[in-house]
Each structure stands twice: as structure tokens, then as C-alpha cells.
Amino acid sequence: MNNLVVKNASQVVTCSGFTGKRGRDMSDLHVIENGTVVITDGVISHVLKEGESLSVNLSDYEVICAEGKALLPGFVDPHTHFVFGGYREEEFAWRMRGDSYMDIMNRGGGIVNTTRATRAASEDELFIAGKQRLDAMMQLGITTVEGKSGYGLDRETELKQLRVMRRLNDEHPLDVVSTFMGAHATPEEWKGREDEFIDFNINEMFPLVAQEKLAECADIFCEKNVFTVEQSRRYLTAAREFGFKLKIHADEIVPFGGAELAAELGCLSADHLLKASDKGIRAMAKAGVVSTLLPLTAFSLRENFARARTMIDNNCMVSLATDFNPGSSFSASVPLLFALACIYMKMSPEEAVTAFTINSAAAVGRADKIGSIDVGKQADLVLLQFPSYKFLPYHVGMNIVEKVIKRGQVLVNR
């Protein structure tokens, strides 16, 4: 039994809700001062205000005294590529001297470089590396992680990546939400035959992934010199027919119509959005598409940040993610994520917390189960060293997570 009482927290930052929050509602965290949370069998059973009496037998529960500390929902990272082989530190050095992301891709670097290393890695090697990365994320307060394939770009390696993620979901304490991203780039053997490569994914890969139940979502890189809007529409429409939830890498490098396509298809989320148009932003808001923003990537690429303020002011549902990957964002730093979101993307601390809890849960289709401190939800929680959530962006670049609780079990105790 995972029975736990977290007692007298200076703040219980509930982020209460069973769906994602849009626009102004992102500022409402439903904070309970000096609150207590009771976890019974790994599920939140009571959320108590100061003075409300406990109705459980404390002898059946472990008790954590949380005076002077803030309690939040466990962080949800809704966009990563954490299962991969090799590294790209040399390409990082090239970018620092001025080479662009697309220049490096056109020279055989970027995604294709990681594809070669991932194809060469064994399943066990990928599993060990993936476990180490999840361990590091857990220390930072992340309790659920979305992971994408897309570094195989062939039948066997794509399936290998997804099987590793399924193994990690089964064996690691963190939850892993798997996304099939067979259309992450065009591999060398398919160059000039991009339409046929989309056909290969639709006709061969979708049935295999669906049959083995290896992924919940499907994703594609809709971008100039990668996959067109029409190719992306065809891929995602077919993915829906196989039962996958839809995600899209959209408008990262140039304004390309990816946000508009996400709205047209009713995608679960559209991600990156550095160059999303005003029309695309309005369309996503109207369609209820989660706008997943990746500030660590923009920071690493020296690009302008996505227009979070504009999106929130236009009633979008904005989430945040690390985009942990070996190329454009080799980091899962939650402290840096919060600092960049607030300092450079003009998000309030309240909006940033919402974006990395209930809204990021919505971005992986799990806002009804995780992402807030509500009775009936899975007991995934983070206890901070400080009395307020506002320390997350304020204590710049520092990990202030003291305890991480997953399904009522304390996994991290610093």
C-alpha cells in the first residue's frame, strides 16, 4: 500500500482541473494555504484546508511534515526524444560559430546523424541510457515523460526505440507516454522519394505499431525542406484511422502553416511554434489544440522564443516541455525551463506552473488522471524546499525539488 499524508504544506498548489486551462484561466492555480494531502493506495483521497480534520487512521499512513514547503503536482514533460544513440557535441560547436540548424542538417548532421548511431545501438544499450536519463529527470520533479521515436527512420530501429520505451514504462517508476514519429526526417536511402517514405510509414509502420500497441500518439516534422503540409495532412489523417492521437512539430524554422493544420485536424498538440502565424494561433485556440512550447530549444539554437504571451492572450492552452534530445536541446533542466519561460517568454509564474502540470498533462491526453492535486487522481507530487511555487523561476537555474512522490511512493528525498 502507498498510503501517505503530506501535512501542513505552506502551499498546496492544486492546479485543480480535469482538462487543460486556456488563456486567463492559466493564472488560477487554486492554491490552498497550509493544506494537507492524503494519499490512499497511491491515489489522492483527501485535499484538506487548514483546520479541516483528518478522517483517516494515521497509524496506517506515513506522514510527511511539510511546513514551510510548497506542494505541487508532479511535472509532466510532454515533448522529448530521450531514447537515442550517440551524441552531437561537435554540431553544438558548429552552431556556436554560426552554422544554422538547417545548414547542419543539409551536411548530413542533425537528425540523420543520430539516426546512424541509434541504428547501431542495441536495445539494451538504448534501455540503459534511457533509464539513466529518466533517473535524472526524476530528480528534477518530472513524474511523466513523453518520448518519441524518429531516430530510426526504418522498420527495425523505430520498433526498437518504441520497445525500449515500453520496457522503461514497465520497469521504471516514471510513466512514459510513447509517440511514433516515423516522419521525423527523410533518411538518406529515401532522399528524393519523400511521398513514398510517407506511404511506407502509413502502409507498413502504422499497422505494426498499432498491432503491438507500442505508441499512443503519432507525430511528424511539418517544416520547409522536411515534410510539406500536404504530406503531413496525409500522414496524420492516416494515423488517426489507426487510433493514434495526433501531434505535430509545427512552424519551428519558418512560418509554414503547421499551426493551421493542427487546428484543421484537431491535433492533441502542436509543438515548437516559434514562427506560428497570428492566424494559426487563433485557429489553435478555437480548436482547443495544446500549444506546446520548448524554450530550451530556442535558447540552445539562439532563436527568438515562441510567442507565449500572444498565445495566452488569444485564449490558447499553452504547455511547456524540455524537448530533451541530442541535438537542439540536450537538456531536461526544469529550473532553466521555468526561468526562460518567465524571464524571456513573458509568462507569469502561475502560467508557467500551469503549463508544466495540468496543461502538459493535457498535451499527452492525461489531464483526467495526472497534472493536478485533485481527489481521485494518481498521487504524483513534488515538494519544494521553499514555501512558494514562485521560487521555481526566482531561484534561477537551481533545483529546489526536495521530494518526488509517484503513486504515493517517495522516489526522491533530498
Side-chain angles (χ1 to χ4, degrees):
M1 287 195 308
N2 293 334
N3 291 349
L4 186 66
V5 175
V6 185
K7 190 176 178 182
N8 296 336
S10 61
Q11 292 179 335
V12 176
V13 184
T14 68
C15 303
S16 183
F18 290 80
T19 60
K21 298 182 181 182
R22 301 169 179 237
R24 291 181 182 176
D25 288 343
M26 289 181 62
S27 295
D28 191 352
L29 296 179
H30 295 277
V31 175
I32 298 172
E33 304 289 341
N34 300 313
T36 294
V37 174
V38 182
I39 299 161
T40 306
D41 293 333
V43 174
I44 298 167
S45 57
H46 305 78
V47 181
L48 304 174
K49 297 177 182 178
E50 184 178 14
E52 290 184 325
S53 60
L54 284 168
S55 58
V56 297
N57 186 349
L58 286 181
S59 64
D60 296 330
Y61 288 76
E62 178 186 350
V63 178
I64 295 173
C65 292
E67 292 179 5
K69 304 175 192 304
L71 185 69
L72 287 82
F75 300 135
V76 179
D77 194 342
H79 182 129
T80 82
H81 305 255
F82 79 95
V83 174
F84 59 85
Y87 295 96
R88 289 176 9 217
E89 72 283 357
E90 192 63 41
E91 293 179 18
F92 179 82
W94 294 343
R95 282 208 312 276
M96 294 308 99
R97 75 181 188 196
D99 295 5
S100 74
Y101 182 80
M102 295 306 292
D103 285 342
I104 292 168
M105 277 191 71
N106 292 334
R107 284 158 48 190
I111 294 165
V112 173
N113 185 1
T114 298
T115 298
R116 288 191 289 268
T118 306
R119 288 178 178 181
S122 71
E123 184 171 317
D124 284 342
E125 287 170 336
L126 293 177
F127 177 85
I128 291 168
K131 180 181 180 301
Q132 291 170 343
R133 292 164 192 155
L134 289 180
D135 287 345
M137 293 178 189
M138 185 170 68
Q139 295 290 328
L140 296 164
I142 295 171
T143 53
T144 298
V145 178
E146 187 260 12
K148 303 178 192 294
S149 68
Y151 287 136
L153 306 178
D154 63 9
R155 172 176 165 159
E156 294 309 316
T157 316
E158 287 293 307
L159 295 177
K160 177 172 65 176
Q161 277 190 277
L162 292 170
R163 286 171 182 149
V164 165
M165 282 186 266
R166 180 167 64 185
R167 250 180 93 188
L168 288 165
N169 184 55
D170 290 342
E171 298 180 29
H172 196 278
L174 300 196
D175 289 324
V176 177
V177 181
S178 295
T179 295
F180 171 63
M181 197 174 180
H184 195 191
T186 304
E188 294 166 339
E189 61 268 27
W190 289 91
K191 284 293 183 185
R193 298 186 294 138
E194 284 76 12
D195 284 325
E196 292 176 49
F197 183 60
I198 295 293
D199 291 336
F200 160 74
N201 276 286
I202 292 171
N203 298 326
E204 295 191 39
M205 295 306 299
F206 284 166
L208 286 170
V209 175
Q211 182 180 354
E212 287 196 45
K213 297 180 179 178
L214 288 172
E216 297 180 30
C217 309
D219 199 343
I220 187 169
F221 194 176
C222 180
E223 189 60 69
K224 182 180 179 181
N225 298 326
V226 189
F227 296 106
T228 66
V229 169
E230 183 49 47
Q231 288 165 341
S232 301
R233 180 183 289 109
R234 191 157 60 89
Y235 175 96
L236 291 172
T237 300
R240 173 176 282 141
E241 293 173 1
F242 281 94
F244 298 111
K245 298 169 186 173
L246 307 185
K247 299 173 82 68
I248 182 171
H249 282 51
D251 302 319
E252 179 183 7
I253 312 297
V254 297
F256 201 62
E260 290 89 336
L261 179 62
E264 173 194 324
L265 297 178
C267 289
L268 188 61
S269 74
D271 302 18
H272 284 291
L273 301 172
L274 273 65
K275 309 294 182 181
S277 69
D278 290 345
K279 179 183 176 183
I281 290 170
R282 291 192 297 269
M284 287 190 299
K286 185 175 181 180
V289 176
V290 181
S291 304
T292 298
L293 309 183
L294 316 172
L296 296 175
T297 310
F299 178 71
S300 297
L301 295 177
R302 292 174 170 166
E303 294 288 343
N304 292 329
F305 292 92
R307 294 187 291 157
R309 186 77 267 135
T310 300
M311 293 177 192
I312 294 170
D313 290 346
N314 277 273
N315 207 37
C316 279
M317 189 187 310
V318 171
S319 77
L320 291 168
T322 67
D323 193 20
F324 180 78
N325 74 77
S328 59
S329 177
F330 188 47
S331 176
S333 175
V334 172
L336 184 57
L337 177 83
F338 275 108
L340 294 175
C342 293
I343 297 170
Y344 289 102
M345 295 172 69
K346 302 179 182 178
M347 296 175 74
S348 70
E350 294 77 16
E351 290 165 344
V353 169
T354 296
F356 206 47
T357 54
I358 189 65
N359 280 12
S360 49
V364 293
R366 296 195 180 185
D368 59 332
K369 298 180 179 68
I370 58 173
S372 69
I373 303 177
D374 281 304
V375 171
K377 283 200 174 184
Q378 187 170 291
D380 297 354
L381 307 171
V382 169
L383 188 67
L384 303 183
Q385 297 168 348
F386 292 99
S388 169
Y389 64 86
K390 293 176 182 175
F391 281 80
L392 285 164
Y394 166 57
H395 202 27
V396 176
M398 302 297 289
N399 183 15
I400 62 171
V401 170
E402 181 173 293
K403 288 180 172 61
V404 177
I405 299 164
K406 182 71 178 177
R407 295 188 183 88
Q409 181 181 358
V410 179
L411 299 179
V412 175
N413 191 3
R414 296 173 62 227

